[in-house]
Structure formats: C-alpha cells, structure tokens
C-alpha cells in the first residue's frame, strides 16, 4: 500500500473543502435548518405525531439522509471530475498508486466531509427540535455506511460524467426526488397500498427507515433489511468503480 | 569518452526498453506502430518529430496515462503493466500541457506530488528544487497567479519532487521565454550529471542539437531513426564548401555543370554542397576543375548542415 499517496489525496481533498467552507458547510447547514424552523417550530405543531414521534423530530433523520446523500455525491463526483476536466489527473495516473488507493483517498475524503456535515446538521437540529437517539451505535453505522456508499456512487458519476451538466443531473433528477419520495417527511405506512409497494423499489426508503429506527426505534421496513440494502448498494458501487478502473474507462485513452 | 556515453547494446545500460509497442486509439487511429526503442541510463535522449507524430502518446504509455494496445515496456526491468508501482516510482513527467491546480500554492502542489509518489516528506529537498527553479520566492503564491513560464517551472518542480531516476520533458520549451529555456537546459545538464536519464520531445531541432546525446526521429507513429547525435550529423550531414572568389562571376561556368554549385553574394561566393557519406566528396576534382577554368579564390570555409536540414531530408524520404 502506498499510504503516503492515500494521505496526500485525502489531505488535498480536505484542503479543497476548507477553502470553500461557505459553500460546503454553511450553506447546507442553513438550508437544512430552514426545514427545522418551518416543519419543527412553525407548522410542525399543527401536524400530528407519527409513530408517537413529534413531527419536527420525525423528519430529522430523513433530512439528514437528504444532505448526506446529496453532499456525498456532489463532493465525490466533483473531486474526481475536476482533475479529469482540468487535466491534472495526469499526475494521479502516472503515480505509483493502485486504483484502490485512489478511491480510498478521494472517497475517504468525501465521506469524511459528509459525516462531519451530518453531525453539524444534527447538532443544529437539536437546537430547534427535541432529539433522542435510541441506538447511537447503529446511527453512526448508518451515517458512515451511507456517507461511504454515496461518496462511492458520486465517484462513479464523476468518472462517468463528460460535462458539468451530467455532474448535476443525477443528484438533481434522481437522488433528490427519490429522497423526497423515500419517506423523509412521512412514513410510507401512510401511503395507499399501491404506492407503498412502489416505494419499496426506492433504495432511499431503506436508508431513511433504518436511520430513523436508530433514532426513535420505529421503522417502515426491518432494520436488517435496511442494513442489507445499504451493503448491497455499497457492493454495487464498488463493483462499478472496479470495472471502470480495470478498463481505464474515461480515465485512460 | 564522456561518462554518459556507452557501448550500444549493453543490456544493463537500458533504463527504458520498449518492444513492439503499438497504440490504436478508440477512434481507430493508430498513433504508434510497433515502436522499438531503448533509452540508455544517464543519457539525454531527444525524441524529434513533427506535430502528431506520436511523441506524447509514446511518453503517455510509458508513464501509465495511456493504455498500450500491444507491446511491452520496461523501466529498469519493471514492466509498466504488471509491475507498475516500481516502474512509475522512478519516473518524473513534465507534461506538454500546462495543467495545474489553480487554487493550490506552489509549495503545496509540489509537496503533494512527492507524497503521491510515496516518498516521505522532505522539506529540504522541496526547498532545493524550488530554489533551483527560481520558484522559492513564489512558494506561497497560488498557481493561478503565476505566469505561463512560472507554471512550467512548477510542473518541472513537481516532476522532480520525488527524486526520479528518469525524467520525461514533453516539449518543455514550447512557448517558453529565453531565460526559462536557458535555466531549463542548465538544470537538465545538472540532473544528467547526477545520473538522471532525460528524455525530451521537441520539434525544435536546435534543442536536440544543443542538448541531446542521442536523437530519435519519430514520424507517423514510427521510429525512423535512432542515432548518436554526433554520429547522425557526421553520417547524414551534408557539408558545404564555400569559396570566396577573387573576382565576381556572372554565372556558374558550363564546364563546372557536373557539380552542385551555387553562386551568392553578387557572384563573389561559390558554394559547393556535398555528401560526407559519399565515397568521394569531389572536392579534389572540383578544386582542379576550378583552377583549370581560371577561377581563383581568396578563402574557403566548410559548414556542416544542422539537424534541421537532416530532419527535413529524412521526412521527405518518408513521404
Ligand atoms: N485521445 C486520442 N484519441 C484519438 N486520437 C488521438 C488521441 N490523442 C492523440 N491522438 C492522435 O494521435 C496522433 C499522435 O498524437 P500525439 O502523440 O499527441 O503527437 P505529438 O505529441 O507527436 O504531437 C495525432 O494524430 C493525434 O491526433
Ligand atoms: Mg505532443
């Protein structure tokens, strides 16, 4: 293992994050806080509790997931897309590093950023709504797994994209809708049976459900299934990255 | 014999061995056609060729940036595909394009390169490299604030940050000012003196002529010639003998029509072009025929043709 290279890429990416602290931390924290203000403090009191959890608190895990997914994807995809776009990728390709080390550096940094951001948002949420975490270990497990998985997914998008539009496309057209429809703001048990079944094809449902269970002990689907789906998605992303590197896809002519 | 000159064919002297290397891009374009090339340890090798000849492609394959289609490349005996770590660790690459991280400082981007190549941090070395390249004062500047020439220096510093044994310079002086060019050659010579092997590509023939120990000419993806520079000039060089005449001639006399002669300087200079490769240069008979024709001269000089002329001649032969 070329640990020094992994460290170099990781620190390079973390540095980039520090330089753009406003876009990368302040703005997601503010926009998420607005949800807490609106749903938690303002209209949340007019909505009845779900599964015995006050609505303002009920939506916290889902909103955390939403930022976790979008930030992981955008961070990781940009991290690898930009060197491809600017040409500085030549140095990474010519260095004595394995694909695994490259992925570890980039995805590790992207996941770290998302986790930190998630924790900051969680702390912010606690200012507006009463939060309890019944299963902190499982909560951290979901946080880390989701950050890693979707950073990996973002990395795949960053390798695949051949323009800035495509970089925005997947988060905007797929991930955000899936998150909103994935039970972030409601329990899928509240849906008519047909739509409940349709929802089960939405991978985000499993993430939100499992994550919410770690907070309040209530879930739409079993926690084991949630965890299993998360690992499945992680495995799919790993397979995609491996295949891309093996063929030099969009990296090497 | 200078220390960097070696007997050809001595295998242990090969720092890079390229065998039957071909590259066909996805577009179907064949950029390299079965290239065989050996770079000797410690030499300065100039790869010369017109735009689009395949110079960058060749370098990119050796450095791991472009996948080879077939063939084999070894760096100090390490295969670039199966043993890529060992192979790449020895190589520093200064790319043709000025690609840099705009927001990084000079110091950070150069230190980053060293870490990427798996070398533990060594601020003293980075400092030395930056000073050698007149970048020390700029170490805290962001890349985007630097001029093109300065960026080129930073790319060289990045390539040297991990103390490579082999340095590739892909058109290092394209669009570079005179000062940088001279600095660069000074640095290249100093590196060579420490045992670093240097491969540079250029389409400026003067560069190859000034710097290289050996020259390879590539055209349309094929290496058409590899030769010691001095040997190349001697073997392929055409020489010119210029005679300064005592009296101006209106035209070349018909009796001298068999020779390749040109009149210049209002008829006071007669230039004879001949091939040093030829069995006989024809100088003796020319001088005899001149004296028979009653043409007298005050002075004479000979001039060897430059690589440029050799190069143009070679490419014409190819076409
Ligand atoms: N990625 C690519 N896809 C298709 N053709 C390419 C690619 N890169 C280079 N070429 C072609 O290969 C040939 C050699 O290019 P290059 O190696 O850059 O030449 P040089 O460096 O000698 O100018 C050119 O005709 C160029 O257009
Ligand atoms: Mg080129």
């Amino acid at each position: 293992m070329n640990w020094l290279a992994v460290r170099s890429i990781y620190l390079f990416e973390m540095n980039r994050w520090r330089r753009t602290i406003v876009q990368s931390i302040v703005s997601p924290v503010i926009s998420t806080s607005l949800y807490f203000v609106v749903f938690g403090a303002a209209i949340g009191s007019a909505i009845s509790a779900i599964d015995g959890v006050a609505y303002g608190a009920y939506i916290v895990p889902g909103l955390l997931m939403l930022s976790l997914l979008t930030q992981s994807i955008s961070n990781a995809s940009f991290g690898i897309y930009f060197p491809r776009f600017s040409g500085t990728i030549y140095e990474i390709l010519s260095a004595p590093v394995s694909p695994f080390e490259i992925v570890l550096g980039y995805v590790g940094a992207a996941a770290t950023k998302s986790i930190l951001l998630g924790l900051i948002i969680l702390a912010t949420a606690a200012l507006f709504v009463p939060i309890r975490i019944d299963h902190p270990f499982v909560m951290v497990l979901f946080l880390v797994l989701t950050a890693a998985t979707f950073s990996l997914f973002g990395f795949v998008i960053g390798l695949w994209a051949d323009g800035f539009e495509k970089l925005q496309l997947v988060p905007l057209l797929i991930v955000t809708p899936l998150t909103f429809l994935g039970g972030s703001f409601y329990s899928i048990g509240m849906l008519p049976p047909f739509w409940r079944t349709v929802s089960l094809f939405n991978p985000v449902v499993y993430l939100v459900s499992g994550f919410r269970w770690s907070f309040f002990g209530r879930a739409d689907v079993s926690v084991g299934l949630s965890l299993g789906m998360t690992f499945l998605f992680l495995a799919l992303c790993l397979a995609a990255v491996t295949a891309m590197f093996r063929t030099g896809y969009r990296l090497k002519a | 014999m200078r220390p960097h000159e070696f007997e050809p064919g001595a295998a242990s002297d090969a720092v890079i061995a390229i065998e039957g290397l071909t590259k066909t891009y996805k577009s179907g374009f064949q950029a390299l056609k079965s290239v065989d090339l050996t770079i000797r340890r410690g030499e300065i090798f100039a790869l010369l060729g017109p735009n689009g000849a395949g110079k960058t492609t060749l370098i990119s394959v050796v450095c791991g940036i472009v996948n080879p289609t077939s063939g084999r490349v070894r760096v100090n005996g390490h295969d670039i595909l199966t043993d890529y770590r060992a192979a790449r660790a020895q190589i520093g690459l200064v790319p043709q394009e000025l690609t840099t991280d705009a927001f990084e400082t000079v110091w950070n981007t150069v230190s980053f390169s060293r870490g990427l190549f798996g070398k533990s941090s060594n601020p003293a070395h980075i400092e030395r490299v930056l000073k050698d390249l007149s970048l020390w004062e700029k170490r805290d500047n962001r890349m985007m604030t630097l001029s093109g020439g300065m960026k080129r220096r930073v790319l060289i510093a990045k390539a040297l940050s991990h103390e490579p044994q082999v340095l590739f310079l892909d058109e290092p002086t394209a669009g570079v000012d005179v000062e940088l060019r001279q600095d660069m050659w000074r640095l290249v010579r100093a590196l060579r003196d420490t045992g670093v092997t240097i491969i540079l590509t250029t389409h400026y023939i003067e560069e190859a002529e000034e710097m290289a120990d050996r020259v390879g000419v590539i055209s349309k993806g094929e290496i058409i010639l590899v030769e010691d520079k001095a040997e190349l000039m001697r073997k392929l060089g055409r020489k010119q003998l210029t005679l300064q005449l005592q009296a101006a001639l209106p035209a070349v006399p018909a009796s001298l029509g068999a020779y390749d002669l040109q009149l210049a300087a209002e008829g006071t200079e007669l230039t004879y072009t001949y091939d040093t490769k030829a069995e006989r240069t024809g100088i003796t008979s020319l001088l005899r025929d001149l004296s028979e024709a009653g043409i007298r001269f005050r002075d004479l000089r000979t001039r060897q043709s430059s690589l440029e002329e050799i190069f143009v001649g070679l490419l014409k032969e190819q076409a």
Side-chain angles (χ1 to χ4, degrees):
Chain A
M1 276 295 279
N2 184 349
W3 285 109
L4 282 165
V6 176
R7 181 171 168 271
S8 296
I9 296 174
Y10 182 88
L11 292 179
F12 179 92
E13 282 298 293
M14 293 307 284
N15 234 335
R16 191 167 63 77
W17 192 51
R18 209 167 307 137
R19 273 198 309 262
T20 56
I21 204 100
V22 174
Q23 293 116 282
S24 48
I25 298 187
V26 179
S27 88
V29 168
I30 290 180
S31 62
T32 315
S33 300
L34 291 177
Y35 283 102
F36 299 136
V37 172
V38 173
F39 290 105
I43 62 174
S45 51
I47 302 174
S48 53
I50 303 177
D51 289 343
V53 180
Y55 189 68
Y58 186 84
I59 61 170
V60 169
L63 280 173
L64 264 174
M65 267 299 157
L66 178 63
S67 4
L68 219 51
L69 298 192
T70 50
Q71 289 300 314
S72 297
I73 292 173
S74 75
N75 245 311
S77 63
F78 192 81
I80 188 67
Y81 177 75
F82 197 72
R84 283 180 55 219
F85 168 78
S86 72
T88 53
I89 191 80
Y90 86 86
E91 196 177 21
I92 307 275
L93 295 177
S94 69
V97 290
S98 66
F100 179 68
E101 288 153 1
I102 297 175
V103 172
L104 202 59
Y106 279 105
V107 172
T112 306
K113 300 175 207 180
S114 304
I115 291 168
L116 289 177
L117 187 72
L119 293 176
I120 293 172
I121 291 178
L122 184 60
T124 316
L127 298 178
F128 297 98
V129 290
I131 301 273
R132 65 166 215 267
I133 302 173
D134 287 355
H135 308 280
F137 174 74
V138 179
M139 194 280 277
V140 171
L141 184 66
F142 268 109
L143 188 70
V144 172
L145 270 180
T146 309
T149 302
F150 282 82
S151 295
L152 208 50
F153 185 54
F155 193 84
V156 170
I157 293 170
L159 282 179
W160 161 80
D162 51 11
F164 279 99
E165 316 79 52
K166 283 199 182 167
L167 219 49
Q168 311 284 355
L169 212 65
V170 174
L172 215 62
L173 290 186
I174 300 177
V175 176
T176 308
L178 284 184
T179 313
F180 275 90
L181 299 175
S184 293
F185 297 98
Y186 52 87
S187 161
I188 58 166
M190 295 158 74
L191 296 173
F194 173 74
W195 291 109
R196 201 179 311 159
T197 310
V198 169
S199 292
L200 293 179
F201 289 95
N202 178 354
V204 180
V205 165
Y206 301 91
L207 297 173
V208 171
S209 167
F211 200 42
R212 187 177 289 136
W213 179 84
S214 73
F215 280 77
F216 308 121
R218 310 279 174 164
D220 291 341
V221 293
S222 86
V223 181
L225 186 58
S226 287
L227 217 49
M229 291 302 266
T230 312
F231 274 114
L232 178 68
F233 204 54
L234 181 65
L236 286 177
C237 292
L238 271 176
V241 168
T242 309
M244 282 169 142
F245 268 105
R246 187 157 295 156
T247 57
Y249 176 80
R250 299 249 167 121
L251 274 174
K252 293 189 189 191
Chain B
M1 186 163 120
R2 285 179 295 166
H4 53 275
E5 287 176 344
F6 295 100
E7 290 300 312
S12 64
D13 285 331
V15 68
I16 294 181
I18 300 172
E19 293 160 34
L21 181 65
T22 63
K23 173 62 191 178
T24 306
Y25 281 110
K26 285 190 199 80
S27 61
F29 182 81
Q30 193 174 17
L32 295 175
K33 298 167 188 160
S34 192
V35 167
D36 295 301
L37 182 63
T38 303
I39 307 291
R40 301 172 192 164
R41 190 178 313 283
E43 72 175 342
I44 299 179
F45 186 90
L47 188 60
L48 217 58
N51 268 327
K55 304 181 293 295
T56 300
T57 302
L58 183 59
I59 288 183
S60 300
V61 170
V62 177
C63 294
I65 295 166
V66 165
N67 285 325
T69 304
S70 64
R72 182 156 192 223
V73 181
R74 277 166 300 163
V75 182
N76 266 335
H78 304 288
D79 188 284
I80 57 156
L81 296 180
T82 57
D83 197 6
Y84 67 91
R85 273 189 208 272
R88 292 183 197 167
Q90 327 210 346
I91 297 179
L93 166 65
V94 182
Q96 182 175 354
E97 305 292 334
L98 281 178
T99 51
T100 56
D101 291 301
F103 300 100
E104 291 293 324
T105 65
V106 171
W107 179 271
N108 283 350
T109 196
V110 175
S111 303
F112 169 78
S113 301
R114 187 177 169 88
L116 194 60
F117 276 74
K119 291 259 182 164
S120 53
S121 107
N122 181 349
H125 176 70
I126 306 286
E127 178 175 341
R128 197 159 50 241
V129 168
L130 292 184
K131 283 183 171 160
D132 283 349
L133 284 156
S134 313
L135 283 168
W136 183 241
E137 269 67 53
K138 305 265 182 198
R139 64 189 176 280
D140 295 323
N141 288 38
R142 285 182 174 204
M143 293 300 297
M144 61 187 175
T145 65
L146 301 183
S147 68
M150 280 292 165
K151 283 184 184 143
R152 179 78 60 188
R153 285 172 197 257
V154 176
L155 289 182
I156 299 173
K158 280 166 81 72
L160 295 177
S161 66
H162 59 92
E163 301 160 73
Q165 292 181 34
V166 182
L167 180 66
F168 283 96
L169 294 157
D170 197 357
E171 305 212 5
T173 52
V176 146
D177 57 64
V178 180
E179 189 192 359
L180 174 51
R181 193 183 283 224
Q182 285 169 349
D183 278 5
M184 197 135 63
W185 294 150
R186 207 174 302 126
L187 184 81
V188 163
R189 288 204 177 92
L191 281 170
R192 201 260 311 268
D193 291 343
T194 66
V196 176
T197 306
I198 291 141
I199 298 110
L200 58 96
T201 75
T202 181
H203 48 239
Y204 295 128
I205 286 90
E206 320 87 74
E207 252 166 44
E209 195 161 0
E210 198 188 323
M211 295 298 306
D213 300 314
R214 285 200 307 152
V215 175
V217 178
I218 183 170
S219 169
K220 301 189 180 112
E222 286 177 281
I223 301 273
I224 55 178
L225 172 130
V226 176
E227 193 74 82
D228 254 32
K229 185 185 64 182
E231 187 75 359
L232 176 68
M233 309 251 316
R234 194 176 62 74
K235 273 173 43 183
L236 289 183
R238 292 167 72 78
K239 266 188 156 177
Q240 289 187 327
L241 170 69
T242 302
L243 302 167
Q244 298 198 320
L245 306 179
Q246 288 188 344
L249 281 179
V252 177
S255 63
L256 299 174
Y259 299 97
D260 182 3
L261 291 174
Q262 250 104 40
L263 265 179
E266 287 155 355
T268 60
E269 268 186 23
L270 194 62
T271 302
Y272 170 53
T273 306
Y274 59 98
D275 199 330
T276 51
K277 278 189 297 185
E279 193 82 342
R280 294 160 188 279
T281 58
I283 292 177
T284 321
S285 59
L286 172 69
L287 293 182
R288 191 190 55 229
D289 291 348
L290 279 172
S291 114
E292 270 172 21
I295 300 170
R296 296 169 159 266
F297 53 91
R298 288 190 283 120
D299 202 359
L300 84 174
R301 61 169 194 274
T302 61
R303 192 179 74 81
Q304 187 132 26
S305 56
S306 70
L307 263 178
E308 173 125 33
E309 289 157 310
I310 297 171
F311 186 54
V312 169
L314 262 175
L315 291 179
K316 264 198 200 122
E317 255 171 55
Q318 271 275 301

